[in-house]
Amino acid sequence: MRALVQRVTEARVDIAGETVGRCGAGLMILVCAMRGDGEGNADDLAARVAKLRVFRDGEGRMNRALLDAGGSALVVSQFTLAADTSRGNRPGFSDAAPPEEGERLYERFVEALRGHGVPVETGRFGADMAVHLVNDGPVTIMMDR
């Protein structure tokens, strides 16, 4: 699985003008299941994200994880993270998991993150979404598992 993790002061996702998920200070996480991924990949990635130390401690260093900082997460499915641009100008997405598998692993990731005690809201798998966020730092990290 692949995730693009952004430290945010706030984020929300809208579908057809209606807000379906939001978070305050915390993490905006775009997630993509890759072909060949399984439940273990989702669980491992969720554990790594939950423990990712990107929040400032008392000395201003990135030394605290999401729960240490009292934050929450907004998780949105994003199959375009699987884009392959090595052969021209049009990205290919054949490395992404098939939609049914992608949705199952996306949901598994969300539940695994919640299992670590992280308050999580989500977008809607496969929907046309508008994501709004204020990146804090900016801090943006790509993670694979």
Side-chain angles (χ1 to χ4, degrees), residues 1-130:
M1 289 194 76
R2 187 170 286 170
L4 183 71
V5 179
Q6 298 173 86
R7 187 179 73 189
V8 298
T9 57
E10 63 181 327
R12 77 174 197 272
V13 61
D14 298 341
I15 299 173
E18 177 188 345
T19 299
V20 297
R22 68 175 58 238
C23 74
L27 296 176
M28 171 71 216
I29 307 164
L30 302 173
V31 178
C32 177
M34 306 295 286
R35 191 170 296 279
D37 282 344
E39 289 83 6
N41 298 94
D43 295 345
D44 289 349
L45 184 59
R48 290 184 60 217
V49 168
K51 296 173 187 170
L52 185 64
R53 298 184 326 177
V54 294
F55 295 90
R56 294 179 188 94
D57 63 14
E59 297 176 11
R61 285 186 257 165
M62 290 196 304
N63 204 27
R64 295 175 21 180
L66 183 59
L67 290 175
D68 300 330
S72 58
L74 177 59
V75 180
V76 174
S77 61
Q78 182 76 40
F79 87 95
T80 60
L81 290 178
D84 176 4
T85 59
S86 65
R87 293 176 290 227
N89 296 323
R90 184 171 184 210
F93 301 102
S94 60
D95 290 338
E100 302 78 26
E101 187 72 6
E103 183 173 15
R104 186 178 68 77
L105 292 171
Y106 164 74
E107 294 295 339
R108 175 73 177 236
F109 173 85
V110 168
E111 290 309 312
L113 194 57
R114 286 180 176 142
H116 287 281
V118 175
V120 177
E121 291 198 20
T122 66
R124 189 171 306 139
F125 188 90
D128 186 13
M129 296 174 274

